[in-house]
Amino acid sequence: MSKVFRITPKRVKRSNGQVLTPDMSITVTTRSHTTTPFYNGAAEI
């Protein structure tokens, strides 16, 4: 069963030609049963 997380950046981030701003939100889907999408050492945006 997948879990879905909605993440909102705290500050402006530019990466690979994309710009993420605090008024945007990102939806992340994981395939494992976890309470946080950052359990495997992923860094915050």
Side-chain angles (χ1 to χ4, degrees):
M1 174 177 263
S2 298
K3 284 200 168 191
V4 178
F5 297 93
R6 179 162 298 187
I7 300 171
T8 304
K10 292 182 179 179
R11 58 186 174 270
V12 175
K13 173 70 176 175
R14 291 180 177 90
S15 178
N16 296 331
Q18 304 266 335
V19 179
L20 302 173
T21 61
D23 55 332
M24 296 175 154
S25 64
I26 303 148
T27 303
V28 178
T29 304
T30 62
R31 292 185 182 203
S32 60
H33 304 289
T34 181
T35 58
T36 175
F38 303 110
Y39 74 98
N40 65 352
E44 282 191 51
I45 301 174

